[in-house]
Amino acid sequence: MLVRDAMSTAILTVGPAHTLRQAATLMSARRVGAAVVLDPDAGGIGILTERDILNSVGLGQNPDTEHTHAHTTTDVVFAAPSWTLEDAARAMTQGGFRHLVVLDRGEVAGIVSVRDIIRCWAPARQPAPAL
């Protein structure tokens, strides 16, 4: 199975000036663990994860005044839609992260998470036996 088969194409994007609270609110509403940060002034495409927000709050920083640009990972490992899920899982394991931004011809095409990979690899759910 390929990344294109597992990735989400409904991508949450935020800007570098969003506060962490704004980003967290959007992530919570969309039920996603990461947002793509588009910042043309800082190299283009970054990623902000729930862990980045959690680390900031854990340090006592104010999510209403901290901006995404200060917490965005900019040295992003990108996946291609044609990667296998094994390739994606290997990249995540080696890099110690749970999300990959998927680029197709230089454009953001989707995002794939560990959860997406597990969903594809797990056997189909069987209905509970009748009592």
Side-chain angles (χ1 to χ4, degrees), residues 53-93:
I53 296 169
L54 181 67
N55 287 341
S56 175
V57 171
L59 290 171
Q61 296 173 335
N62 184 340
D64 292 315
T65 58
E66 288 294 314
H67 293 95
T68 60
H69 70 86
H71 301 277
T72 297
T73 300
T74 56
D75 58 339
V76 178
V77 174
F78 297 103
S82 59
W83 279 18
T84 65
L85 294 185
E86 288 83 3
D87 293 333
R90 188 176 306 106
M92 290 177 185
T93 301

Side-chain angles (χ1 to χ4, degrees), residues 18 32 35 50 52 58 60 93 95:
H18 277 87
V32 297
E50 57 197 359
D52 297 323
T93 301

Side-chain angles (χ1 to χ4, degrees), residues 49 51 75-77 88-89 91-100 114:
T49 67
R51 183 168 295 161
D75 58 339
V76 178
V77 174
M92 290 177 185
T93 301
Q94 290 173 348
F97 44 80
R98 299 178 297 170
H99 299 86
L100 283 169
V114 169

